[in-house]
């Protein structure tokens, strides 16, 4: 199993050990552009044309609700 497949598996099984950088890598691979937060904020905003923006805090551990958001994107993109 490749690193990419392992990462996708981690997301689709809603693992509690997902890091922010892993979510960022997934979103960027599906065409989302991440914008660094300004003025002391820890929340990154990811945008893709025609899709609603997604805001994810860089704080770790990543809450399950954010992993679930990315899982929904992965599933919708692979249809």
């Amino acid at each position: 199993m490749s690193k990419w497949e392992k990462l996708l598996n981690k997301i689709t099984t809603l693992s509690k050990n997902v890091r922010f950088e892993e979510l960022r890598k997934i979103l960027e691979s599906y065409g989302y552009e991440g914008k660094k937060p300004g003025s002391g904020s820890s929340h990154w905003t990811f945008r893709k044309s025609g899709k609603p923006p997604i805001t994810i805090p860089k704080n770790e551990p990543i809450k399950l609700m954010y992993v679930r958001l990315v899982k929904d994107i992965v599933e919708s993109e692979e249809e």
Side-chain angles (χ1 to χ4, degrees), residues 36-44 57-59:
K36 282 186 178 183
S39 64
S41 176
S42 64
H43 289 67
W44 280 62
K58 192 170 180 177
N59 303 334

Side-chain angles (χ1 to χ4, degrees), residues 16-62:
K16 294 180 182 177
N17 299 323
V18 178
R19 297 183 346 251
F20 172 80
E21 289 302 323
E22 292 171 326
L23 291 181
R24 180 178 168 193
K25 184 176 182 178
I26 294 272
L27 288 169
E28 288 177 348
S29 74
Y30 284 106
Y32 284 80
E33 292 183 26
K35 183 176 178 192
K36 282 186 178 183
S39 64
S41 176
S42 64
H43 289 67
W44 280 62
T45 301
F46 294 89
R47 297 180 190 280
K48 181 177 178 180
S49 181
K51 303 284 184 177
I54 300 162
T55 303
I56 300 176
K58 192 170 180 177
N59 303 334
E60 295 194 12
I62 298 292

